[in-house]
Amino acid sequence: AQAILAQAVSIGPRAGVNPRRGFQMMLRTRALRAGGGGIVDKMIPGYKDKIWAKVPMGAKEFIVKRENNNFEKAIKSHMSWQNMVVTYKGYESSFAPSAKFRKMAVDWRRQIERGTVHYGRWYEGPNGSDYRPGNTFDRLKNVEAPFNEAEWQERKQYRSWDLVRFSYSLLGIFLLYRVTNEWPVVWCDDRHLSDAQDADNQ
């Protein structure tokens, strides 16, 4: 190897070849000092080929055909599933809701929750608007703050119990019980048993 490398370096500049190219080609060939099979392959090199040579021709044909049939069966199964999935993906785009059938009105319950509902005649709007040109009012501008401060304070009185405070309360009760009480500790004591055995022996 050293002679080949020296020859490549010596003739490289004269032949117009990079002198390190031969060294790079040398690095591509590496010795496989580990692996190459299991422990049996190291103890009996080529044992699989020897066993395969002893197998009868009929058994060889059966094994090869079985492997090929399993391989072809897996490919056919994959192709059938692929056709089904591709067909489904073709119909999947038609499941999206169409804007053509979108409901153009907002139901009264959502208007109440958003704070945009107006109680009055069908042609009347909030703040004296009646939907004539120049006399309109956009009720969606008040979505982020549908309640004034007084209404918000009133609604806070009917809020449900905060689960975070409830969890902290349970944790505090458990820690208080743990600190103020002693938990029983069971010890395995066999002295009484040995005394009773001594009395029986006497």
Side-chain angles (χ1 to χ4, degrees):
Q2 293 178 358
I4 296 174
L5 179 60
Q7 184 180 3
V9 173
S10 62
I11 67 174
R14 289 180 295 176
V17 181
N18 188 0
R20 298 185 59 85
R21 185 175 179 181
F23 181 70
Q24 293 176 357
M25 294 177 64
M26 295 284 294
L27 290 179
R28 293 174 186 171
T29 59
R30 59 186 185 276
L32 299 176
R33 297 182 178 84
I39 186 72
V40 181
D41 219 356
K42 294 182 177 61
M43 297 174 61
I44 310 173
Y47 76 99
K48 293 183 179 179
D49 296 334
K50 297 177 182 178
I51 295 176
W52 182 255
K54 298 294 184 181
V55 176
M57 184 57 65
K60 289 181 180 180
E61 293 178 357
F62 173 76
I63 294 173
V64 172
K65 288 181 180 179
R66 183 182 61 183
E67 293 292 334
N68 293 338
N69 291 336
N70 292 336
F71 181 75
E72 296 292 339
K73 182 180 179 181
I75 292 179
K76 290 181 180 179
S77 177
H78 174 74
M79 292 177 63
S80 62
W81 278 106
Q82 185 181 17
N83 294 332
M84 293 175 60
V85 173
V86 170
T87 305
Y88 171 77
K89 287 296 182 181
Y91 289 104
E92 191 176 20
S93 59
S94 62
F95 296 156
S98 176
K100 178 181 177 180
F101 305 99
R102 180 176 180 271
K103 186 178 180 180
M104 302 302 296
V106 181
D107 56 281
W108 63 272
R109 189 64 186 177
R110 285 190 175 89
Q111 292 187 26
I112 291 177
E113 295 300 329
R114 294 176 181 176
T116 59
V117 66
H118 173 71
Y119 302 95
R121 297 179 178 89
W122 63 271
Y123 58 86
E124 292 180 345
N127 299 329
S129 62
D130 54 3
Y131 302 103
R132 290 181 300 175
N135 192 22
T136 60
F137 178 77
D138 189 3
R139 291 182 291 176
L140 295 178
K141 291 182 178 179
N142 199 26
V143 174
E144 296 182 356
F147 309 106
N148 55 29
E149 190 63 28
E151 292 174 345
W152 184 242
Q153 295 299 330
E154 181 182 359
R155 287 177 64 89
K156 282 185 178 179
Q157 298 177 4
Y158 301 99
R159 293 179 64 183
S160 59
W161 183 257
D162 194 351
L163 292 179
V164 176
R165 295 181 181 178
F166 180 70
S167 303
Y168 282 149
S169 301
L170 292 180
L171 181 60
I173 294 173
F174 171 74
L175 294 177
L176 182 63
Y177 172 78
R178 184 67 179 87
V179 171
T180 57
N181 289 276
E182 295 182 356
W183 287 20
V185 179
V186 180
W187 296 92
C188 296
D189 191 0
D190 56 351
R191 289 179 296 180
H192 299 288
L193 181 60
S194 60
D195 295 341
Q197 288 179 355
D198 295 339
D200 292 338
N201 294 333
Q202 291 179 359

PDB file of all heavy atoms in Angstrom, residues 156-163:
ATOM      1  N   LYS A 156     -69.674  38.742  37.319  1.00  0.00           N
ATOM      2  CA  LYS A 156     -68.670  38.068  38.138  1.00  0.00           C
ATOM      3  C   LYS A 156     -69.270  37.448  39.394  1.00  0.00           C
ATOM      4  O   LYS A 156     -68.696  36.512  39.954  1.00  0.00           O
ATOM      5  CB  LYS A 156     -67.568  39.058  38.530  1.00  0.00           C
ATOM      6  CG  LYS A 156     -66.567  39.352  37.425  1.00  0.00           C
ATOM      7  CD  LYS A 156     -65.458  40.249  37.932  1.00  0.00           C
ATOM      8  CE  LYS A 156     -64.425  40.493  36.843  1.00  0.00           C
ATOM      9  NZ  LYS A 156     -63.331  41.388  37.320  1.00  0.00           N
ATOM     10  N   GLN A 157     -70.392  37.958  39.846  1.00  0.00           N
ATOM     11  CA  GLN A 157     -71.007  37.414  41.056  1.00  0.00           C
ATOM     12  C   GLN A 157     -71.580  36.011  40.833  1.00  0.00           C
ATOM     13  O   GLN A 157     -71.818  35.288  41.792  1.00  0.00           O
ATOM     14  CB  GLN A 157     -72.116  38.352  41.543  1.00  0.00           C
ATOM     15  CG  GLN A 157     -71.612  39.732  41.913  1.00  0.00           C
ATOM     16  CD  GLN A 157     -72.746  40.650  42.319  1.00  0.00           C
ATOM     17  OE1 GLN A 157     -73.907  40.222  42.386  1.00  0.00           O
ATOM     18  NE2 GLN A 157     -72.428  41.905  42.590  1.00  0.00           N
ATOM     19  N   TYR A 158     -71.813  35.637  39.603  1.00  0.00           N
ATOM     20  CA  TYR A 158     -72.424  34.345  39.302  1.00  0.00           C
ATOM     21  C   TYR A 158     -71.430  33.384  38.659  1.00  0.00           C
ATOM     22  O   TYR A 158     -71.825  32.421  38.005  1.00  0.00           O
ATOM     23  CB  TYR A 158     -73.616  34.544  38.363  1.00  0.00           C
ATOM     24  CG  TYR A 158     -74.677  35.443  38.923  1.00  0.00           C
ATOM     25  CD1 TYR A 158     -74.723  36.781  38.542  1.00  0.00           C
ATOM     26  CD2 TYR A 158     -75.612  34.982  39.846  1.00  0.00           C
ATOM     27  CE1 TYR A 158     -75.682  37.637  39.070  1.00  0.00           C
ATOM     28  CE2 TYR A 158     -76.576  35.819  40.369  1.00  0.00           C
ATOM     29  CZ  TYR A 158     -76.603  37.150  39.976  1.00  0.00           C
ATOM     30  OH  TYR A 158     -77.563  37.979  40.492  1.00  0.00           O
ATOM     31  N   ARG A 159     -70.158  33.663  38.833  1.00  0.00           N
ATOM     32  CA  ARG A 159     -69.154  32.765  38.268  1.00  0.00           C
ATOM     33  C   ARG A 159     -69.062  31.492  39.089  1.00  0.00           C
ATOM     34  O   ARG A 159     -69.307  31.484  40.302  1.00  0.00           O
ATOM     35  CB  ARG A 159     -67.784  33.446  38.233  1.00  0.00           C
ATOM     36  CG  ARG A 159     -67.709  34.608  37.274  1.00  0.00           C
ATOM     37  CD  ARG A 159     -66.353  35.253  37.289  1.00  0.00           C
ATOM     38  NE  ARG A 159     -65.325  34.341  36.817  1.00  0.00           N
ATOM     39  CZ  ARG A 159     -64.043  34.640  36.789  1.00  0.00           C
ATOM     40  NH1 ARG A 159     -63.629  35.820  37.216  1.00  0.00           N
ATOM     41  NH2 ARG A 159     -63.169  33.776  36.329  1.00  0.00           N
ATOM     42  N   SER A 160     -68.695  30.416  38.429  1.00  0.00           N
ATOM     43  CA  SER A 160     -68.512  29.140  39.122  1.00  0.00           C
ATOM     44  C   SER A 160     -67.236  29.180  39.939  1.00  0.00           C
ATOM     45  O   SER A 160     -66.359  30.038  39.760  1.00  0.00           O
ATOM     46  CB  SER A 160     -68.462  27.990  38.112  1.00  0.00           C
ATOM     47  OG  SER A 160     -67.387  28.199  37.206  1.00  0.00           O
ATOM     48  N   TRP A 161     -67.114  28.219  40.875  1.00  0.00           N
ATOM     49  CA  TRP A 161     -65.954  28.175  41.763  1.00  0.00           C
ATOM     50  C   TRP A 161     -64.691  27.892  40.950  1.00  0.00           C
ATOM     51  O   TRP A 161     -64.677  27.020  40.089  1.00  0.00           O
ATOM     52  CB  TRP A 161     -66.160  27.098  42.818  1.00  0.00           C
ATOM     53  CG  TRP A 161     -65.048  27.032  43.833  1.00  0.00           C
ATOM     54  CD1 TRP A 161     -64.052  26.128  43.875  1.00  0.00           C
ATOM     55  CD2 TRP A 161     -64.839  27.913  44.934  1.00  0.00           C
ATOM     56  NE1 TRP A 161     -63.209  26.366  44.920  1.00  0.00           N
ATOM     57  CE2 TRP A 161     -63.668  27.458  45.599  1.00  0.00           C
ATOM     58  CE3 TRP A 161     -65.493  29.037  45.428  1.00  0.00           C
ATOM     59  CZ2 TRP A 161     -63.165  28.096  46.724  1.00  0.00           C
ATOM     60  CZ3 TRP A 161     -64.994  29.663  46.547  1.00  0.00           C
ATOM     61  CH2 TRP A 161     -63.850  29.192  47.186  1.00  0.00           C
ATOM     62  N   ASP A 162     -63.651  28.644  41.266  1.00  0.00           N
ATOM     63  CA  ASP A 162     -62.406  28.507  40.532  1.00  0.00           C
ATOM     64  C   ASP A 162     -61.756  27.163  40.870  1.00  0.00           C
ATOM     65  O   ASP A 162     -61.509  26.857  42.040  1.00  0.00           O
ATOM     66  CB  ASP A 162     -61.466  29.661  40.896  1.00  0.00           C
ATOM     67  CG  ASP A 162     -60.321  29.756  39.912  1.00  0.00           C
ATOM     68  OD1 ASP A 162     -60.194  28.844  39.084  1.00  0.00           O
ATOM     69  OD2 ASP A 162     -59.563  30.742  39.978  1.00  0.00           O
ATOM     70  N   LEU A 163     -61.473  26.351  39.856  1.00  0.00           N
ATOM     71  CA  LEU A 163     -60.885  25.033  40.088  1.00  0.00           C
ATOM     72  C   LEU A 163     -59.462  25.130  40.613  1.00  0.00           C
ATOM     73  O   LEU A 163     -59.010  24.255  41.357  1.00  0.00           O
ATOM     74  CB  LEU A 163     -60.911  24.223  38.783  1.00  0.00           C
ATOM     75  CG  LEU A 163     -62.287  23.814  38.275  1.00  0.00           C
ATOM     76  CD1 LEU A 163     -62.149  23.037  36.970  1.00  0.00           C
ATOM     77  CD2 LEU A 163     -63.001  22.949  39.308  1.00  0.00           C
TER      78      LEU A 163
END
